[in-house]
Amino acid sequence: MTSTPLPRVRPRRLRGTPALRRLVSETRLHPSELVLPLFVREGVTAPMPIASMPGVVQHSLESLPDAIDEAAAAGVGGVMLFGVPEVRDARGSGATDPEGILNVATRVAVEASAGRLVVQTDLCLDEFTDHGHCGVLSPSTSSGTGFVVDNDATLERYRAMGLEQARAGSQLLGLSGMMDGQVAAVRDALDDQGHTDVAILAYSAKYASAYYGPFRDAVESTLEGDRRTYQLDPGNRREGLREAMIDIEEGADVVMVKPAGSYLDVLADVAAASEVPVWAYQVSGEYSMIEAAAAHGWIDRKRAVIESVRGIRRAGADVVLTYWATELAGWIRNGDTE
């Protein structure tokens, strides 16, 4: 008989088998808590691979319904549409053209989904402007660049963009431009025109991140300079919560933190304080880093994907936007996430 006392408390008891681990899991994944971002490119008839995002494509209007159907069959909760136009100008005119690629794609997606998932649209001008910024530019002698993004002029464009997206059938508008007052401006425009049932997702804590690089390939961004005058400083935690609270006050139905993986502290803060659902976007750079490491055999791809999304959910996200949404939903439905 040993004189060394044996442990009475043994947490390992609940880790002994897959069944026990599933039973006591604190954070569970469900397909309906995933949203799939989709890019739709004007002027193509077949999907176009995105080199910096292996496995992700720019869809054509012809291939989009199949992607919608696959996501819906897997139980994915929604899709977020981004348009890639052939022609851009300073005001992003294609964003408010009823026949612009994003609005046409929205109608196609609504028909293809047949109510099986939520069709959502990105409401921002960056994909449609020839300068790549998220708003209208005005001359400036003090900015150092010769121009500034005109906040209030941009709000007028957002109002018009929101109305066109609502008319096209979008059920949720993803306001990602980070203009002050954008939620109130779009909410008022929607309500004034009778679109009171269209929801607003505010990209509230959207940081000026290096992780957006592959996304800019995906939308063929023509960005001049950077977006640090309107996206959040990566060092600011309290400001992320403040932005979310402002958006809730202005009428946001959902608030979001973006990127996700490097901002889990901000996500946890927002989730603890928010009275509305809190989402997080696992952005292109997060996706591409895992894919690249897995392609080199440095990590277990499947386990890394599951762990990364579970970590975002654990930090407080009610829903995760992720490029793995359809694939991950299939694993979940098959009970293959151990």
Side-chain angles (χ1 to χ4, degrees), residues 58 83-92 125-135 137 147 212-227 230:
Q58 296 172 325
V84 186
E86 286 187 295
V87 178
R88 307 168 197 232
D89 61 27
R91 291 180 57 81
L125 290 174
D126 60 326
E127 297 112 272
F128 299 93
T129 56
D130 55 11
H131 48 72
H133 279 283
C134 298
L137 303 187
F147 64 84
Y212 302 147
F215 177 91
R216 291 172 184 166
D217 290 342
V219 298
E220 300 180 4
S221 174
T222 55
L223 179 65
E224 300 172 5
D226 58 53
R227 297 174 177 150
Y230 46 102

Side-chain angles (χ1 to χ4, degrees), residues 91-331:
R91 291 180 57 81
S93 300
T96 51
D97 181 352
E99 297 306 313
I101 183 59
L102 182 54
N103 296 320
V104 173
T106 300
R107 295 195 290 270
V108 170
V110 169
E111 181 178 0
S113 70
R116 292 175 294 166
L117 48 69
V118 178
V119 175
Q120 309 161 35
T121 44
D122 178 63
L123 197 160
C124 191
L125 290 174
D126 60 326
E127 297 112 272
F128 299 93
T129 56
D130 55 11
H131 48 72
H133 279 283
C134 298
V136 178
L137 303 187
S138 294
S140 169
T141 58
S142 60
S143 66
T145 60
F147 64 84
V148 293
V149 177
D150 188 325
N151 191 95
D152 297 355
T154 299
L155 294 183
E156 293 302 316
R157 299 291 296 132
Y158 286 2
R159 290 185 181 99
M161 191 175 183
L163 290 173
E164 287 302 335
Q165 291 184 359
R167 292 170 186 141
S170 178
Q171 297 165 275
L172 183 149
L173 311 183
L175 277 59
S176 63
M178 290 301 293
M179 295 296 115
D180 293 343
Q182 63 183 14
V183 172
V186 174
R187 182 74 273 160
D188 287 347
L190 292 172
D191 292 351
D192 286 348
Q193 295 298 313
H195 299 289
T196 55
D197 292 335
V198 176
I200 288 178
L201 159 66
Y203 285 51
S204 300
K206 182 178 180 181
Y207 285 83
S209 172
Y211 292 111
Y212 302 147
F215 177 91
R216 291 172 184 166
D217 290 342
V219 298
E220 300 180 4
S221 174
T222 55
L223 179 65
E224 300 172 5
D226 58 53
R227 297 174 177 150
R228 296 183 189 185
T229 63
Y230 46 102
Q231 295 178 352
L232 298 185
D233 186 322
N236 291 0
R237 177 174 179 171
R238 290 191 301 272
E239 190 177 17
L241 176 59
R242 182 182 184 223
E243 287 276 9
M245 295 300 102
I246 290 170
D247 287 344
I248 292 171
E249 180 68 23
E250 291 187 5
D253 300 287
V254 184
V255 293
M256 186 149 73
V257 175
K258 178 183 180 183
S262 292
Y263 297 88
L264 297 181
D265 55 339
V266 179
L267 176 56
D269 291 347
V270 174
S274 176
E275 296 178 349
V276 304
V278 177
W279 295 8
Y281 198 143
Q282 187 178 46
V283 301
S284 59
E286 298 175 83
Y287 172 90
S288 295
M289 287 192 300
I290 288 178
E291 289 290 347
H296 282 83
W298 296 335
I299 59 173
D300 183 312
R301 177 181 180 273
K302 185 175 182 180
R303 289 186 62 190
V305 169
I306 294 167
E307 184 177 339
S308 66
V309 176
R310 184 175 279 141
I312 297 166
R313 286 277 291 114
R314 187 187 66 242
D318 299 298
V319 168
V320 180
L321 279 73
T322 176
Y323 298 97
W324 290 299
T326 299
E327 185 177 18
L328 177 55
W331 296 339

